[in-house]
Amino acid sequence: MNRNEKSPFCFREVYQDQRSFLELEVSRWVYSRETSFQKIDIFDTVSHGRVLALDGIVQTMERWEFMYHEMIAHVPLQICERPKHVLVIGGGDGGTIREALKHPSVESAVLCEIDRDVVEAAKTYLPTLSHALSDPRVSCVFEDGVAYLKGSSQTWDAILIDSTDPTAGEGGHLFTDAFYALCRERLVPGGVCVAQTENPIYDREWMQTAYRRIAAAFPTAGIYLGFSPQYPSGFWTYSIGYRSQDGQNKPDFYQLSPEAVRRIPPHLRYYTSDIHSAAFQIPPFLSDYLA
Amino acid sequence: MNRNEKSPFCFREVYQDQRSFLELEVSRWVYSRETSFQKIDIFDTVSHGRVLALDGIVQTMERWEFMYHEMIAHVPLQICERPKHVLVIGGGDGGTIREALKHPSVESAVLCEIDRDVVEAAKTYLPTLSHALSDPRVSCVFEDGVAYLKGSSQTWDAILIDSTDPTAGEGGHLFTDAFYALCRERLVPGGVCVAQTENPIYDREWMQTAYRRIAAAFPTAGIYLGFSPQYPSGFWTYSIGYRSQDGQNKPDFYQLSPEAVRRIPPHLRYYTSDIHSAAFQIPPFLSDYLA
């Protein structure tokens, strides 16, 4: 390799254990800004495409983000019966909203992101994710997710909690008992709530805590898994809660109905009905962690 | 944190793209040796337990190795009908043999590892993996896998190729057409061969090449997936080939028979019959890579 092909700059992420680190060679710095909430960095890499980091933690690698965004959106939205109104909390890059809008039943989607600068930066520098934010069905609210839910009585078919890590930036209060209870109150009967709940390798305690709190807030709850190479260990968990309705059958998270399978949006790259079922298969060591 | 708790030493792995890096804080150096084949390093970490690296590439993290070793051993051994004779090529740490021996039908297991020093180091410093090597059913052969198969006419119910990366150390010639064809010849009819075939994030071309070569050598072949946080991206692929027998039904890799499910060894931490089926669900982007 020609020595000039190598960039002298590296981005360094400190994993949650404080003793393991990911370094990525930066081919081009794109954007950096200190906002009132966090430090935003956007840079290009040869292997992962454009990368968004908040407070030094990778949020999005453009080449691999589809795995995470498809799994946080399509699993709950396929479990819902024809979701109409979807709330995304966090997710300022627009990737989760982009996936939600692939469901033709969705009439409105609100992005509630505390940091307007993240959305503005994504609109300018991450168009493959943020293009969905200009869809006429989308509104953006720049407010803390807890305050937004408290201040509005609107109910939702699905609430997707696409937060940063509980230990970094502004994500921590999106992992509380009170927040999950509030999410449940703001769901219609038959509605679902999903949250990214970290990984069992570097952040086992937060994963346990978040899953247990969701399972306490929702009588019907579960956890599912997906590969997410953009995040530490690549072993990602998502916890899901269902607001039941009197006299209504609880959904089988694992198995989609034939009608639901027919509603899967076309052209997805990670999610299929078989991946949906596979994602709910939990290895015994993980069940032990969550018991 | 007390500053004295932090070690000033880091291990640094250069991922296959040469532009992404993993660093692990080393709490204690345990062993280092330059052999005729490669550099062996063993060190302790707080988050991952004891780590074995060959030529600077992590082979084993004691805390997470069970995921990889259970998946490379139990998927093929459950597909076999009561395997008696198992050959492991590579895998000098003993983890794959350890899992194979959990099948009571196994009467003999040969470990064919080119580098005797890896086995000796594992025996001394990685007893939770290597203890299986002192089982009376096990023999160790310190020879190149290709030479060993060429020089012996013995046939096997299962051949498990637990090699290093094709681009590092001595693993490269274990990824050739000729080697896979030789493995097929040395299987009994109804026997299976499995190889670790890298990941689609950092090593997509080798994954494609290895899978396609195995699919060319074996009329019945498949690929399956497992989380393996000890390796780059955590998204691990295993390719499997089956030697069919005239008049015999081909196995359904995906679905185990009820008798096979009853034969699953107890006390596994990752593998279950449901994980077995889930592992064969392949996201569309990966099917596209392999087409």
Side-chain angles (χ1 to χ4, degrees), chain A residues 147-188:
Chain A
Y148 176 71
L149 281 182
K150 280 189 180 163
S152 158
S153 58
Q154 189 175 346
T155 54
W156 306 91
D157 298 295
I159 299 177
L160 314 181
I161 308 170
D162 182 10
S163 67
T164 52
D165 294 348
T167 50
E170 288 295 318
H173 63 304
L174 300 181
F175 283 75
T176 62
D177 286 316
F179 176 63
Y180 297 133
L182 192 53
C183 288
R184 201 189 77 84
E185 280 178 34
R186 292 296 184 271
L187 286 178
V188 300

mmCIF file of all heavy atoms in Angstrom, chain A residues 147-188:
data_model
loop_
_atom_site.group_PDB
_atom_site.id
_atom_site.type_symbol
_atom_site.label_atom_id
_atom_site.label_comp_id
_atom_site.label_asym_id
_atom_site.label_seq_id
_atom_site.Cartn_x
_atom_site.Cartn_y
_atom_site.Cartn_z
ATOM 1 N N ALA A 147 -40.341 14.723 28.532
ATOM 2 C CA ALA A 147 -41.156 15.943 28.567
ATOM 3 C C ALA A 147 -42.212 15.911 27.472
ATOM 4 O O ALA A 147 -43.368 16.301 27.683
ATOM 5 C CB ALA A 147 -40.255 17.168 28.403
ATOM 6 N N TYR A 148 -41.835 15.422 26.298
ATOM 7 C CA TYR A 148 -42.787 15.381 25.187
ATOM 8 C C TYR A 148 -43.970 14.472 25.504
ATOM 9 O O TYR A 148 -45.128 14.840 25.291
ATOM 10 C CB TYR A 148 -42.075 14.918 23.918
ATOM 11 C CG TYR A 148 -43.016 14.761 22.746
ATOM 12 C CD1 TYR A 148 -43.586 15.873 22.126
ATOM 13 C CD2 TYR A 148 -43.363 13.495 22.268
ATOM 14 C CE1 TYR A 148 -44.474 15.738 21.064
ATOM 15 C CE2 TYR A 148 -44.236 13.351 21.206
ATOM 16 C CZ TYR A 148 -44.794 14.474 20.612
ATOM 17 O OH TYR A 148 -45.665 14.327 19.567
ATOM 18 N N LEU A 149 -43.671 13.295 26.030
ATOM 19 C CA LEU A 149 -44.765 12.367 26.345
ATOM 20 C C LEU A 149 -45.644 12.910 27.475
ATOM 21 O O LEU A 149 -46.859 12.754 27.454
ATOM 22 C CB LEU A 149 -44.210 10.992 26.732
ATOM 23 C CG LEU A 149 -43.756 10.078 25.597
ATOM 24 C CD1 LEU A 149 -43.297 8.744 26.166
ATOM 25 C CD2 LEU A 149 -44.858 9.847 24.561
ATOM 26 N N LYS A 150 -45.010 13.555 28.467
ATOM 27 C CA LYS A 150 -45.791 14.123 29.572
ATOM 28 C C LYS A 150 -46.702 15.240 29.093
ATOM 29 O O LYS A 150 -47.823 15.402 29.582
ATOM 30 C CB LYS A 150 -44.841 14.670 30.652
ATOM 31 C CG LYS A 150 -44.303 13.590 31.560
ATOM 32 C CD LYS A 150 -43.551 14.214 32.733
ATOM 33 C CE LYS A 150 -43.000 13.130 33.645
ATOM 34 N NZ LYS A 150 -41.942 13.647 34.538
ATOM 35 N N GLY A 151 -46.197 16.023 28.127
ATOM 36 C CA GLY A 151 -46.926 17.215 27.705
ATOM 37 C C GLY A 151 -47.977 16.979 26.643
ATOM 38 O O GLY A 151 -48.618 17.929 26.189
ATOM 39 N N SER A 152 -48.138 15.746 26.219
ATOM 40 C CA SER A 152 -49.095 15.471 25.152
ATOM 41 C C SER A 152 -49.912 14.250 25.530
ATOM 42 O O SER A 152 -49.393 13.316 26.146
ATOM 43 C CB SER A 152 -48.328 15.195 23.845
ATOM 44 O OG SER A 152 -49.128 14.446 22.946
ATOM 45 N N SER A 153 -51.180 14.264 25.183
ATOM 46 C CA SER A 153 -52.002 13.084 25.489
ATOM 47 C C SER A 153 -52.174 12.204 24.257
ATOM 48 O O SER A 153 -52.936 11.238 24.278
ATOM 49 C CB SER A 153 -53.363 13.526 26.014
ATOM 50 O OG SER A 153 -53.987 14.351 25.041
ATOM 51 N N GLN A 154 -51.468 12.530 23.193
ATOM 52 C CA GLN A 154 -51.598 11.726 21.973
ATOM 53 C C GLN A 154 -51.178 10.274 22.233
ATOM 54 O O GLN A 154 -50.244 10.013 22.999
ATOM 55 C CB GLN A 154 -50.722 12.316 20.849
ATOM 56 C CG GLN A 154 -51.008 11.627 19.512
ATOM 57 C CD GLN A 154 -50.270 12.243 18.340
ATOM 58 O OE1 GLN A 154 -49.739 13.353 18.447
ATOM 59 N NE2 GLN A 154 -50.235 11.540 17.228
ATOM 60 N N THR A 155 -51.886 9.357 21.596
ATOM 61 C CA THR A 155 -51.511 7.944 21.729
ATOM 62 C C THR A 155 -50.956 7.430 20.397
ATOM 63 O O THR A 155 -51.229 8.004 19.333
ATOM 64 C CB THR A 155 -52.711 7.091 22.161
ATOM 65 O OG1 THR A 155 -53.788 7.315 21.262
ATOM 66 C CG2 THR A 155 -53.121 7.414 23.584
ATOM 67 N N TRP A 156 -50.212 6.352 20.512
ATOM 68 C CA TRP A 156 -49.423 5.849 19.382
ATOM 69 C C TRP A 156 -49.641 4.357 19.196
ATOM 70 O O TRP A 156 -49.854 3.619 20.160
ATOM 71 C CB TRP A 156 -47.925 6.103 19.645
ATOM 72 C CG TRP A 156 -47.637 7.536 19.942
ATOM 73 C CD1 TRP A 156 -47.610 8.141 21.170
ATOM 74 C CD2 TRP A 156 -47.417 8.567 18.984
ATOM 75 N NE1 TRP A 156 -47.353 9.468 21.040
ATOM 76 C CE2 TRP A 156 -47.232 9.771 19.708
ATOM 77 C CE3 TRP A 156 -47.322 8.595 17.589
ATOM 78 C CZ2 TRP A 156 -46.974 10.984 19.074
ATOM 79 C CZ3 TRP A 156 -47.072 9.798 16.960
ATOM 80 C CH2 TRP A 156 -46.902 10.981 17.698
ATOM 81 N N ASP A 157 -49.515 3.930 17.955
ATOM 82 C CA ASP A 157 -49.528 2.487 17.677
ATOM 83 C C ASP A 157 -48.170 1.865 17.995
ATOM 84 O O ASP A 157 -48.093 0.689 18.354
ATOM 85 C CB ASP A 157 -49.887 2.238 16.214
ATOM 86 C CG ASP A 157 -51.270 2.757 15.882
ATOM 87 O OD1 ASP A 157 -52.243 2.213 16.442
ATOM 88 O OD2 ASP A 157 -51.376 3.723 15.104
ATOM 89 N N ALA A 158 -47.137 2.655 17.821
ATOM 90 C CA ALA A 158 -45.796 2.139 18.119
ATOM 91 C C ALA A 158 -44.919 3.281 18.602
ATOM 92 O O ALA A 158 -44.963 4.389 18.053
ATOM 93 C CB ALA A 158 -45.182 1.492 16.884
ATOM 94 N N ILE A 159 -44.137 2.999 19.642
ATOM 95 C CA ILE A 159 -43.115 3.937 20.125
ATOM 96 C C ILE A 159 -41.770 3.225 20.011
ATOM 97 O O ILE A 159 -41.583 2.141 20.575
ATOM 98 C CB ILE A 159 -43.378 4.365 21.588
ATOM 99 C CG1 ILE A 159 -44.737 5.078 21.692
ATOM 100 C CG2 ILE A 159 -42.253 5.257 22.096
ATOM 101 C CD1 ILE A 159 -45.130 5.481 23.125
ATOM 102 N N LEU A 160 -40.872 3.812 19.247
ATOM 103 C CA LEU A 160 -39.555 3.210 18.996
ATOM 104 C C LEU A 160 -38.506 4.072 19.697
ATOM 105 O O LEU A 160 -38.311 5.244 19.332
ATOM 106 C CB LEU A 160 -39.281 3.147 17.490
ATOM 107 C CG LEU A 160 -40.425 2.619 16.600
ATOM 108 C CD1 LEU A 160 -39.992 2.593 15.131
ATOM 109 C CD2 LEU A 160 -40.886 1.241 17.048
ATOM 110 N N ILE A 161 -37.854 3.495 20.693
ATOM 111 C CA ILE A 161 -36.890 4.248 21.509
ATOM 112 C C ILE A 161 -35.483 3.962 20.992
ATOM 113 O O ILE A 161 -34.879 2.935 21.292
ATOM 114 C CB ILE A 161 -37.030 3.885 22.995
ATOM 115 C CG1 ILE A 161 -38.485 4.035 23.440
ATOM 116 C CG2 ILE A 161 -36.099 4.757 23.835
ATOM 117 C CD1 ILE A 161 -38.770 3.460 24.824
ATOM 118 N N ASP A 162 -35.011 4.883 20.185
ATOM 119 C CA ASP A 162 -33.728 4.748 19.487
ATOM 120 C C ASP A 162 -32.748 5.685 20.172
ATOM 121 O O ASP A 162 -32.298 6.676 19.608
ATOM 122 C CB ASP A 162 -33.972 5.125 18.011
ATOM 123 C CG ASP A 162 -32.733 4.988 17.159
ATOM 124 O OD1 ASP A 162 -31.733 4.429 17.631
ATOM 125 O OD2 ASP A 162 -32.779 5.452 15.998
ATOM 126 N N SER A 163 -32.421 5.344 21.399
ATOM 127 C CA SER A 163 -31.649 6.251 22.258
ATOM 128 C C SER A 163 -30.156 6.016 22.128
ATOM 129 O O SER A 163 -29.712 4.982 21.631
ATOM 130 C CB SER A 163 -32.055 6.019 23.715
ATOM 131 O OG SER A 163 -31.638 4.731 24.108
ATOM 132 N N THR A 164 -29.386 6.975 22.625
ATOM 133 C CA THR A 164 -27.959 6.737 22.820
ATOM 134 C C THR A 164 -27.784 5.822 24.035
ATOM 135 O O THR A 164 -28.748 5.471 24.721
ATOM 136 C CB THR A 164 -27.223 8.065 23.063
ATOM 137 O OG1 THR A 164 -27.892 8.768 24.110
ATOM 138 C CG2 THR A 164 -27.235 8.928 21.812
ATOM 139 N N ASP A 165 -26.543 5.452 24.306
ATOM 140 C CA ASP A 165 -26.252 4.612 25.464
ATOM 141 C C ASP A 165 -26.727 5.296 26.752
ATOM 142 O O ASP A 165 -26.639 6.516 26.865
ATOM 143 C CB ASP A 165 -24.737 4.399 25.610
ATOM 144 C CG ASP A 165 -24.178 3.601 24.459
ATOM 145 O OD1 ASP A 165 -24.961 3.024 23.688
ATOM 146 O OD2 ASP A 165 -22.945 3.563 24.341
ATOM 147 N N PRO A 166 -27.157 4.501 27.721
ATOM 148 C CA PRO A 166 -27.614 5.099 28.980
ATOM 149 C C PRO A 166 -26.502 5.824 29.721
ATOM 150 O O PRO A 166 -26.765 6.707 30.536
ATOM 151 C CB PRO A 166 -28.110 3.894 29.792
ATOM 152 C CG PRO A 166 -27.475 2.708 29.161
ATOM 153 C CD PRO A 166 -27.282 3.051 27.713
ATOM 154 N N THR A 167 -25.266 5.471 29.434
ATOM 155 C CA THR A 167 -24.147 6.055 30.173
ATOM 156 C C THR A 167 -23.504 7.214 29.424
ATOM 157 O O THR A 167 -22.562 7.802 29.917
ATOM 158 C CB THR A 167 -23.078 4.983 30.420
ATOM 159 O OG1 THR A 167 -22.800 4.331 29.174
ATOM 160 C CG2 THR A 167 -23.566 3.945 31.408
ATOM 161 N N ALA A 168 -24.001 7.521 28.225
ATOM 162 C CA ALA A 168 -23.351 8.562 27.423
ATOM 163 C C ALA A 168 -24.382 9.593 26.996
ATOM 164 O O ALA A 168 -25.567 9.289 26.861
ATOM 165 C CB ALA A 168 -22.716 7.942 26.177
ATOM 166 N N GLY A 169 -23.915 10.805 26.770
ATOM 167 C CA GLY A 169 -24.766 11.844 26.208
ATOM 168 C C GLY A 169 -26.040 12.014 27.015
ATOM 169 O O GLY A 169 -26.035 12.039 28.247
ATOM 170 N N GLU A 170 -27.161 12.097 26.317
ATOM 171 C CA GLU A 170 -28.439 12.459 26.928
ATOM 172 C C GLU A 170 -29.369 11.262 27.056
ATOM 173 O O GLU A 170 -30.557 11.421 27.287
ATOM 174 C CB GLU A 170 -29.099 13.544 26.074
ATOM 175 C CG GLU A 170 -28.396 14.885 26.186
ATOM 176 C CD GLU A 170 -28.510 15.461 27.597
ATOM 177 O OE1 GLU A 170 -29.605 15.377 28.185
ATOM 178 O OE2 GLU A 170 -27.504 15.980 28.092
ATOM 179 N N GLY A 171 -28.858 10.032 26.867
ATOM 180 C CA GLY A 171 -29.748 8.880 26.772
ATOM 181 C C GLY A 171 -30.247 8.313 28.097
ATOM 182 O O GLY A 171 -31.209 7.570 28.135
ATOM 183 N N GLY A 172 -29.576 8.636 29.217
ATOM 184 C CA GLY A 172 -29.808 7.926 30.472
ATOM 185 C C GLY A 172 -31.238 7.910 30.967
ATOM 186 O O GLY A 172 -31.744 6.872 31.383
ATOM 187 N N HIS A 173 -31.920 9.049 30.899
ATOM 188 C CA HIS A 173 -33.266 9.092 31.474
ATOM 189 C C HIS A 173 -34.291 8.399 30.574
ATOM 190 O O HIS A 173 -35.450 8.292 30.930
ATOM 191 C CB HIS A 173 -33.669 10.535 31.771
ATOM 192 C CG HIS A 173 -33.754 11.362 30.538
ATOM 193 N ND1 HIS A 173 -32.714 11.510 29.668
ATOM 194 C CD2 HIS A 173 -34.791 12.054 30.021
ATOM 195 C CE1 HIS A 173 -33.087 12.279 28.666
ATOM 196 N NE2 HIS A 173 -34.332 12.616 28.849
ATOM 197 N N LEU A 174 -33.857 7.937 29.401
ATOM 198 C CA LEU A 174 -34.747 7.132 28.560
ATOM 199 C C LEU A 174 -34.687 5.657 28.955
ATOM 200 O O LEU A 174 -35.238 4.799 28.265
ATOM 201 C CB LEU A 174 -34.396 7.308 27.084
ATOM 202 C CG LEU A 174 -34.509 8.742 26.534
ATOM 203 C CD1 LEU A 174 -34.169 8.783 25.047
ATOM 204 C CD2 LEU A 174 -35.902 9.326 26.764
ATOM 205 N N PHE A 175 -34.019 5.343 30.036
ATOM 206 C CA PHE A 175 -33.923 3.955 30.491
ATOM 207 C C PHE A 175 -34.589 3.770 31.866
ATOM 208 O O PHE A 175 -34.283 2.820 32.554
ATOM 209 C CB PHE A 175 -32.452 3.529 30.565
ATOM 210 C CG PHE A 175 -31.827 3.212 29.225
ATOM 211 C CD1 PHE A 175 -31.467 4.220 28.342
ATOM 212 C CD2 PHE A 175 -31.598 1.895 28.839
ATOM 213 C CE1 PHE A 175 -30.898 3.927 27.114
ATOM 214 C CE2 PHE A 175 -31.030 1.595 27.615
ATOM 215 C CZ PHE A 175 -30.681 2.610 26.745
ATOM 216 N N THR A 176 -35.467 4.675 32.260
ATOM 217 C CA THR A 176 -36.031 4.592 33.620
ATOM 218 C C THR A 176 -37.389 3.892 33.635
ATOM 219 O O THR A 176 -38.108 3.854 32.634
ATOM 220 C CB THR A 176 -36.216 6.005 34.214
ATOM 221 O OG1 THR A 176 -37.153 6.712 33.398
ATOM 222 C CG2 THR A 176 -34.903 6.773 34.258
ATOM 223 N N ASP A 177 -37.745 3.390 34.812
ATOM 224 C CA ASP A 177 -39.078 2.811 35.032
ATOM 225 C C ASP A 177 -40.184 3.798 34.658
ATOM 226 O O ASP A 177 -41.172 3.438 34.015
ATOM 227 C CB ASP A 177 -39.261 2.488 36.532
ATOM 228 C CG ASP A 177 -38.466 1.271 36.959
ATOM 229 O OD1 ASP A 177 -38.471 0.274 36.226
ATOM 230 O OD2 ASP A 177 -37.838 1.340 38.027
ATOM 231 N N ALA A 178 -40.003 5.035 35.102
ATOM 232 C CA ALA A 178 -41.047 6.045 34.886
ATOM 233 C C ALA A 178 -41.258 6.292 33.395
ATOM 234 O O ALA A 178 -42.395 6.447 32.926
ATOM 235 C CB ALA A 178 -40.658 7.345 35.588
ATOM 236 N N PHE A 179 -40.172 6.296 32.650
ATOM 237 C CA PHE A 179 -40.284 6.537 31.211
ATOM 238 C C PHE A 179 -41.010 5.391 30.513
ATOM 239 O O PHE A 179 -41.898 5.607 29.675
ATOM 240 C CB PHE A 179 -38.890 6.748 30.616
ATOM 241 C CG PHE A 179 -38.902 6.902 29.122
ATOM 242 C CD1 PHE A 179 -39.567 7.967 28.511
ATOM 243 C CD2 PHE A 179 -38.249 5.980 28.322
ATOM 244 C CE1 PHE A 179 -39.588 8.106 27.132
ATOM 245 C CE2 PHE A 179 -38.264 6.110 26.938
ATOM 246 C CZ PHE A 179 -38.934 7.176 26.349
ATOM 247 N N TYR A 180 -40.670 4.164 30.860
ATOM 248 C CA TYR A 180 -41.333 3.025 30.209
ATOM 249 C C TYR A 180 -42.821 2.986 30.568
ATOM 250 O O TYR A 180 -43.664 2.674 29.723
ATOM 251 C CB TYR A 180 -40.659 1.702 30.586
ATOM 252 C CG TYR A 180 -39.218 1.599 30.137
ATOM 253 C CD1 TYR A 180 -38.216 1.163 31.003
ATOM 254 C CD2 TYR A 180 -38.842 1.938 28.833
ATOM 255 C CE1 TYR A 180 -36.893 1.071 30.601
ATOM 256 C CE2 TYR A 180 -37.512 1.858 28.419
ATOM 257 C CZ TYR A 180 -36.538 1.416 29.308
ATOM 258 O OH TYR A 180 -35.234 1.330 28.905
ATOM 259 N N ALA A 181 -43.155 3.340 31.817
ATOM 260 C CA ALA A 181 -44.567 3.377 32.220
ATOM 261 C C ALA A 181 -45.319 4.441 31.416
ATOM 262 O O ALA A 181 -46.463 4.234 30.988
ATOM 263 C CB ALA A 181 -44.681 3.652 33.718
ATOM 264 N N LEU A 182 -44.665 5.560 31.208
ATOM 265 C CA LEU A 182 -45.266 6.636 30.416
ATOM 266 C C LEU A 182 -45.475 6.185 28.962
ATOM 267 O O LEU A 182 -46.517 6.470 28.350
ATOM 268 C CB LEU A 182 -44.338 7.855 30.489
ATOM 269 C CG LEU A 182 -44.819 9.206 29.990
ATOM 270 C CD1 LEU A 182 -46.142 9.604 30.641
ATOM 271 C CD2 LEU A 182 -43.743 10.265 30.273
ATOM 272 N N CYS A 183 -44.499 5.482 28.426
ATOM 273 C CA CYS A 183 -44.654 4.948 27.061
ATOM 274 C C CYS A 183 -45.881 4.037 26.995
ATOM 275 O O CYS A 183 -46.677 4.103 26.050
ATOM 276 C CB CYS A 183 -43.411 4.163 26.633
ATOM 277 S SG CYS A 183 -41.983 5.214 26.297
ATOM 278 N N ARG A 184 -46.054 3.188 27.992
ATOM 279 C CA ARG A 184 -47.183 2.269 27.989
ATOM 280 C C ARG A 184 -48.506 3.044 27.983
ATOM 281 O O ARG A 184 -49.438 2.728 27.239
ATOM 282 C CB ARG A 184 -47.121 1.342 29.207
ATOM 283 C CG ARG A 184 -47.936 0.061 29.044
ATOM 284 C CD ARG A 184 -48.022 -0.711 30.350
ATOM 285 N NE ARG A 184 -48.978 -0.093 31.241
ATOM 286 C CZ ARG A 184 -50.289 -0.302 31.205
ATOM 287 N NH1 ARG A 184 -50.804 -1.128 30.336
ATOM 288 N NH2 ARG A 184 -51.084 0.319 32.053
ATOM 289 N N GLU A 185 -48.560 4.103 28.816
ATOM 290 C CA GLU A 185 -49.789 4.909 28.875
ATOM 291 C C GLU A 185 -50.116 5.569 27.547
ATOM 292 O O GLU A 185 -51.281 5.833 27.247
ATOM 293 C CB GLU A 185 -49.633 6.007 29.929
ATOM 294 C CG GLU A 185 -49.845 5.516 31.339
ATOM 295 C CD GLU A 185 -49.632 6.662 32.333
ATOM 296 O OE1 GLU A 185 -49.968 7.819 31.998
ATOM 297 O OE2 GLU A 185 -49.099 6.382 33.424
ATOM 298 N N ARG A 186 -49.077 5.856 26.775
ATOM 299 C CA ARG A 186 -49.288 6.578 25.526
ATOM 300 C C ARG A 186 -49.460 5.638 24.328
ATOM 301 O O ARG A 186 -49.498 6.075 23.187
ATOM 302 C CB ARG A 186 -48.133 7.540 25.253
ATOM 303 C CG ARG A 186 -48.052 8.692 26.217
ATOM 304 C CD ARG A 186 -49.258 9.629 26.149
ATOM 305 N NE ARG A 186 -49.075 10.766 27.047
ATOM 306 C CZ ARG A 186 -49.444 10.776 28.332
ATOM 307 N NH1 ARG A 186 -50.022 9.714 28.873
ATOM 308 N NH2 ARG A 186 -49.231 11.840 29.073
ATOM 309 N N LEU A 187 -49.542 4.343 24.588
ATOM 310 C CA LEU A 187 -49.832 3.401 23.507
ATOM 311 C C LEU A 187 -51.322 3.138 23.439
ATOM 312 O O LEU A 187 -51.995 3.057 24.475
ATOM 313 C CB LEU A 187 -49.121 2.062 23.738
ATOM 314 C CG LEU A 187 -47.620 1.983 23.523
ATOM 315 C CD1 LEU A 187 -47.135 0.565 23.855
ATOM 316 C CD2 LEU A 187 -47.225 2.352 22.097
ATOM 317 N N VAL A 188 -51.831 2.946 22.244
ATOM 318 C CA VAL A 188 -53.193 2.441 22.113
ATOM 319 C C VAL A 188 -53.186 0.984 22.563
ATOM 320 O O VAL A 188 -52.140 0.318 22.516
ATOM 321 C CB VAL A 188 -53.690 2.532 20.647
ATOM 322 C CG1 VAL A 188 -53.665 3.986 20.164
ATOM 323 C CG2 VAL A 188 -52.863 1.649 19.732
#
